[in-house]
Amino acid sequence: MKPHCHSYILRLVSLTFFALACSSLYAKGKMSYSGYSGGMMVHSGYVFGGESTPLSQGVAVSEAIPMSGFPIGLGGAVRFCFGDYLRIGTEGYSSTLSYNKNASYSRIGWGGLLADCAFRFKEKHLLYVGLTVGGGSCKNLTLMHDTEADWEVEENTSYRKYAFMVLDPFVGYEYALTSKIHLIFKLDYLFNVSNPQPDFCTGPRLYVGFMFCREPHKG
């Protein structure tokens, strides 16, 4: 990964944890458990920056195939709320990008621990910013030619798989349809920070889904 990319990631992480620190100050020590939420989201977006170069015994058998486009994916999150602002939980997603005319695809799965700050305004509206730290894996299948028949062994096919550490900063918005059901939107940008590879694509992803919320019983 290029030095300026490392610098950009560190800035994002620093800003996120600065926001979390501010939330603790605003909470004025009132950090008791205040409920939880969980649900599912679908996503798409635009990812870019990767290229696949099929090899045979370490020698390239074609020119590099550019990888970019609109991924489609699914996943979910669970958050536990503390005080007025802080939420801590976990999330996980799978995202598939189809590229080139031969139905090649790259599939990324990732998940980890999340922390965010949520700011409520006008009763039903909530804005949040946060960070997920965890791990992921990428599977990349490159087909050199279009498949012509079912159940046939294909030649000129390249497959690879690798794991990496994830940093995933995000911002989002929730709208309370009811006290227990929220419509949620989220925008993120996934970083591979431990194992950069030439066929790793990243870019902004937009999520939409529903969260089911519950506050603790009072008195």
Side-chain angles (χ1 to χ4, degrees):
M1 186 174 291
K2 296 179 180 179
H4 73 272
C5 292
H6 283 295
S7 177
Y8 183 58
I9 293 170
L10 289 174
R11 289 176 187 174
L12 286 171
V13 174
S14 299
L15 287 173
T16 300
F17 280 97
F18 176 75
L20 293 176
C22 288
S23 75
S24 299
L25 293 175
Y26 285 129
K28 297 179 181 179
K30 298 179 180 179
M31 297 298 292
S32 60
Y33 171 71
S34 55
Y36 67 87
S37 63
M40 301 291 291
M41 288 169 272
V42 297
H43 69 261
S44 187
Y46 185 76
V47 296
F48 53 91
E51 58 180 26
S52 181
T53 307
L55 305 175
S56 176
Q57 298 181 351
V59 179
V61 297
S62 79
E63 295 182 355
I65 301 170
M67 301 168 62
S68 63
F70 303 92
I72 297 176
L74 177 68
V78 175
R79 294 178 174 88
F80 298 92
C81 308
F82 298 91
D84 294 329
Y85 303 97
L86 181 62
R87 305 189 301 181
I88 298 174
T90 184
E91 64 179 355
Y93 302 94
S94 176
S95 186
T96 301
L97 168 70
S98 296
Y99 64 94
N100 84 12
K101 61 182 180 181
N102 300 323
S104 302
Y105 70 87
S106 174
R107 179 171 297 138
I108 297 175
W110 75 95
L113 299 177
L114 70 85
D116 68 32
C117 297
F119 305 94
R120 188 178 303 276
F121 63 100
K122 294 184 178 179
E123 296 282 336
K124 294 187 175 183
H125 303 272
L126 185 147
L127 293 175
Y128 62 92
V129 57
L131 176 72
T132 296
V133 179
S137 66
C138 179
K139 299 177 181 179
N140 182 20
L141 177 67
T142 303
L143 301 176
M144 302 294 296
H145 302 287
D146 194 11
T147 56
E148 298 180 354
D150 293 332
W151 308 109
E152 294 291 333
V153 176
E154 298 291 340
E155 296 182 357
N156 297 317
T157 299
S158 171
Y159 174 79
R160 67 193 308 260
K161 178 181 179 180
Y162 54 90
F164 55 92
M165 179 182 174
V166 167
L167 285 182
D168 187 21
F170 57 82
V171 296
Y173 165 76
E174 291 184 33
Y175 176 76
L177 299 173
T178 71
S179 61
K180 295 183 178 180
I181 301 176
H182 290 188
L183 177 63
I184 184 171
F185 299 91
K186 187 180 82 164
L187 182 69
D188 77 345
Y189 200 106
L190 185 70
F191 291 97
N192 171 351
V193 296
S194 65
N195 187 19
Q197 296 291 326
D199 62 345
F200 183 81
C201 297
T202 192
R205 288 178 173 87
L206 178 64
Y207 301 70
V208 61
F210 294 95
M211 301 298 287
F212 300 92
C213 310
R214 187 183 182 97
E215 295 182 357
H217 294 292
K218 297 180 180 179

